[in-house]
């Protein structure tokens, strides 16, 4: 049976990026179908400007462009733009969001004019709806990454670095075991390392 996965991403989040690389490995090694969706750290943290998430308002630039591209050219651009943006932002270390947007649109073959969507608040209702869909399956107190497996949503998993090969598949099998138990809610430990990109 094909496992149905919804993966919510914000291109600004390094933890979501590493989890997405794991998910790509899982796609290669297990029978899964992944639907890539947007979650906005800007929306999640708009009521908490003094937190350590301060500055995530910038994430609206990236997710607006992804939403505009998908609306105009198809949902496959969710993942294609995420890959292009995330590669530049995380292992690439580029912090200039305008540069990330411009280069990513060019890489995936989309019109440069889509860069103007970064300031277009007309996309914010759709971004809010997608963010709220993640909260509906995983709870109000989530961040990124957030995934749903066969309708069961949760925050995480969080890795550094991302598992590869059979290790990735073994971790996936463990996730399936956890989410299959109706009473499972949380598994967490403190982080003592920052993101390790490979």
């Amino acid at each position: 049976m094909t496992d149905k996965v919804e993966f919510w991403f914000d291109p600004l989040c390094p933890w979501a990026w590493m989890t997405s690389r794991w998910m790509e490995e899982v796609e290669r090694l297990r029978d899964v179908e992944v639907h890539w969706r947007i979650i906005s750290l800007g929306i999640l943290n708009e009521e908490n400007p003094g937190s350590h998430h301060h500055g995530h308002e910038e994430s609206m630039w990236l997710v607006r462009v992804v939403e505009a591209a998908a609306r105009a050219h198809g949902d496959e651009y969710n993942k294609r733009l995420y890959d292009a943006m995330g590669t530049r932002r995380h292992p690439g270390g580029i912090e200039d969001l305008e540069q990330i947007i411009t280069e990513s649109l060019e890489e995936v073959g989309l019109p440069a004019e889509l860069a103007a969507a970064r300031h277009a608040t007309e996309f914010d209702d759709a971004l809010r709806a997608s963010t709220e869909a993640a909260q509906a399956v995983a709870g109000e107190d989530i961040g990124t990454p957030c995934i749903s497996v066969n309708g069961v949503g949760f925050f995480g998993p969080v890795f550094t670095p991302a598992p590869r090969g059979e290790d990735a598949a073994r971790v996936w099998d463990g996730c399936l075991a956890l989410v299959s138990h109706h009473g499972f809610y949380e598994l967490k430990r403190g982080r003592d390392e920052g993101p390790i990109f490979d």
Side-chain angles (χ1 to χ4, degrees), residues 2 10 20 44 64 66 68 72 83 94 103-104 116 119 134 144 158 162 171 174 190:
T2 300
D10 185 314
S20 73
L44 284 175
R64 283 174 182 149
V66 175
D83 286 346
I94 298 173
E103 291 181 0
S104 297
H119 298 305
T144 59
V158 175
V171 172

Side-chain angles (χ1 to χ4, degrees), residues 4-8 133-139 141-142 145-157 178-179 182 184-186:
K4 306 291 187 181
V5 177
E6 291 183 287
F7 190 111
W8 280 271
Q135 292 176 305
V137 298
D141 58 343
I142 59 162
C146 177
I147 68 174
S148 167
V149 180
N150 300 326
V152 179
F154 53 92
F155 166 73
L178 287 171
V179 301
H182 176 72
F184 171 70
Y185 285 102
E186 187 170 336

Side-chain angles (χ1 to χ4, degrees), residues 60-61 63-69 101 112-124:
M60 295 299 287
W61 284 21
V63 294
R64 283 174 182 149
V65 172
V66 175
E67 174 64 24
I101 290 167
E113 294 75 26
L114 279 171
R118 68 189 183 280
H119 298 305
T121 57
E122 68 196 74
F123 298 107
D124 291 3

Side-chain angles (χ1 to χ4, degrees), residues 4 20 28 97 127-129 146 172-173 176 187 189:
K4 306 291 187 181
S20 73
R28 187 171 62 83
L97 298 187
L127 297 171
R128 187 172 301 281
C146 177
W172 171 253
D173 295 341
L176 286 181
L187 179 68
R189 66 176 178 169

Side-chain angles (χ1 to χ4, degrees), residues 5 24 30 51 53 85 92 111-112 128 135 151 161 169 175 178 190:
V5 177
E24 285 186 337
R30 293 292 189 264
S51 78
H53 296 292
M85 290 175 171
R128 187 172 301 281
Q135 292 176 305
C175 281
L178 287 171

